Amino acid sequence: MAGFKLLLSQSRRLSLPHFSSSRFLSLHRSLSSSSSDSQSLPIQPVSYAPKPKDPPQPDQTLQSTPPEEGTRSTLSREDLRYVKDVPNISPISYPTRVAPLPEDRVGEARDQESEEMARESRKIQAESRAWRTPFRVAAEEEKVVIPFPMLIMPEKKNEKRPVLDLMDAIREVKGNAKANFDETVEAHVRLGIDQKRSELIVRGTMALPHGAKKEVKVAVFAEGADADDARAAGADIVGGVDLIEKIASTGKVDYDRCFSTHSFMKRLYKISKILNQHGLMPNPKQGTVTKDVTKAVKEAKQGQVKFRMDKTSIVHVGIGKVSLSEEFLRDNVGAFMNSLLLAKPAGLKKTSKYAGYVNSFHICSTMGPGFRVSIQSLSRAADHYSKVYLNA
């Protein structure tokens, strides 16, 4: 009402004809009456039916032809740039093709192809028959049934092998020697000696009763009666001061074994460096400094074998070939054990022959496994060798 009064006052002030008091009053009455009527009449709620959803339209973004004029297009402006100049492409259907069967071919062509296939099959069979081994051919002809290979279980690492008698061990070694050459029978002895003590090192030589016959060139440093005995025993080189001067001037050594008497050792220090280079310097521990020159030369001619303890207190030596008989190998083992007992250091505690000296003894072939041998059977073999060969 305040607004209308303000409007009426302004119209009077401006003297507007269309805003007269009568008109204002009639307008005021009509508004007041309509407001009173609206307050008296209740407002009825109106509900509308839900709008039905349009059916899904197919994707028209990939249409190949632009839409006709007067119709609304669903393509974007960028799609129309690429589509409007594309010509109409009508789908083309091709008839299904079926591969011809062998019955549909011409008779001559079919016969020619069958002949080529038969010729090719005969060629393949001939090639496969040529590549077959004689064993397979014989097996197929005789219809031999080849047994399926057996599964061999591997040996356990921590499993201890039994200790065998010497003769049983020799039989096992000969049975497991399957190489295509005559293998060497080897003996490996672990000694109970501290390798740090140099004065207890075990070394020596032995003459195998059934060793390989090999020509050995022997030189003896002696004079007088010992020189005559060496020549009679079969020594190849016998000399004294003249032989020493010759070696010192030339520096050449052309023999395999070297022996000397005790009285002649002082003169050999002049050429000791040359002899040590070839491992021929006479040594009392190895039996090359001896009083019995005749025996030493004869044993060297038979074929003596050197042995020496290594850094792990083990002695490795070959005692014959697999082709030798079991009795010959037993005699060779006895000879080795006898020489090993003779080379026992003097500073070692002598509890018995073997206790504290020989801890274990193994025998094997070059390519075969090893077998442990009992100390009792080794003692019997050494006693048999001393009775048969040394006391004869």
Side-chain angles (χ1 to χ4, degrees), residues 31-43:
L31 289 174
S32 61
S33 63
S34 63
S35 61
S36 62
D37 294 340
S38 63
Q39 290 179 359
S40 61
L41 295 176
I43 300 173

Side-chain angles (χ1 to χ4, degrees), residues 3 15-16 30 82 132 143 175 177 198 212 227 233 242 286 295 349 377-378:
S15 67
L16 295 174
S30 64
Y82 298 102
R132 289 179 184 173
K143 296 182 180 180
S198 60
D242 54 347
Q286 296 182 359
K295 181 180 177 181
K349 294 181 181 180
S377 60
L378 294 174

Side-chain angles (χ1 to χ4, degrees), residues 329-349:
L329 290 175
R330 180 198 59 190
D331 295 343
N332 288 350
V333 172
F336 169 60
M337 293 305 301
N338 184 67
S339 301
L340 192 65
L341 292 174
L342 293 176
K344 186 176 182 180
L348 193 66
K349 294 181 181 180

Side-chain angles (χ1 to χ4, degrees), residues 257-364:
R257 300 296 304 277
C258 180
F259 295 93
S260 175
T261 58
H262 292 276
S263 60
F264 214 80
M265 279 297 296
K266 296 179 181 180
R267 303 179 185 180
L268 292 180
Y269 289 109
K270 185 178 181 179
I271 57 173
S272 60
K273 186 176 181 180
I274 300 173
L275 295 177
N276 282 325
Q277 289 178 355
H278 297 82
L280 296 175
M281 183 65 185
N283 192 333
K285 293 183 179 180
Q286 296 182 359
T288 52
V289 179
T290 179
K291 296 179 181 179
D292 193 352
V293 179
T294 303
K295 181 180 177 181
V297 172
K298 287 183 179 180
E299 290 180 351
K301 284 293 184 179
Q302 290 178 359
Q304 283 190 340
V305 179
K306 295 182 181 180
F307 60 88
R308 178 187 172 91
M309 185 183 75
D310 61 4
K311 295 181 180 179
T312 58
S313 301
I314 300 177
V315 178
H316 311 273
V317 66
I319 56 175
K321 296 291 183 179
V322 176
S323 58
L324 295 176
S325 63
E326 298 175 4
E327 291 76 13
F328 285 1
L329 290 175
R330 180 198 59 190
D331 295 343
N332 288 350
V333 172
F336 169 60
M337 293 305 301
N338 184 67
S339 301
L340 192 65
L341 292 174
L342 293 176
K344 186 176 182 180
L348 193 66
K349 294 181 181 180
K350 297 182 179 180
T351 55
S352 66
K353 282 186 178 182
Y354 299 96
Y357 180 45
V358 179
N359 289 344
S360 63
F361 186 98
H362 289 77
I363 187 173
C364 67

Side-chain angles (χ1 to χ4, degrees), residues 228-252:
D228 296 336
D229 294 340
R231 292 190 185 93
D236 299 293
I237 300 174
V238 180
V241 180
D242 54 347
L243 183 58
I244 294 174
E245 293 296 334
K246 180 181 178 181
I247 294 173
S249 59
T250 59
K252 294 181 180 181

Side-chain angles (χ1 to χ4, degrees), residues 6-18:
L6 180 62
L7 183 62
L8 182 60
S9 63
Q10 288 179 358
S11 63
R12 286 176 181 175
R13 189 179 303 168
L14 295 174
S15 67
L16 295 174
H18 54 278

Side-chain angles (χ1 to χ4, degrees), residues 62-66 83 85-92:
L62 300 177
Q63 289 181 355
S64 60
T65 58
V83 173
D85 297 332
V86 176
N88 295 332
I89 300 174
S90 59
I92 301 174

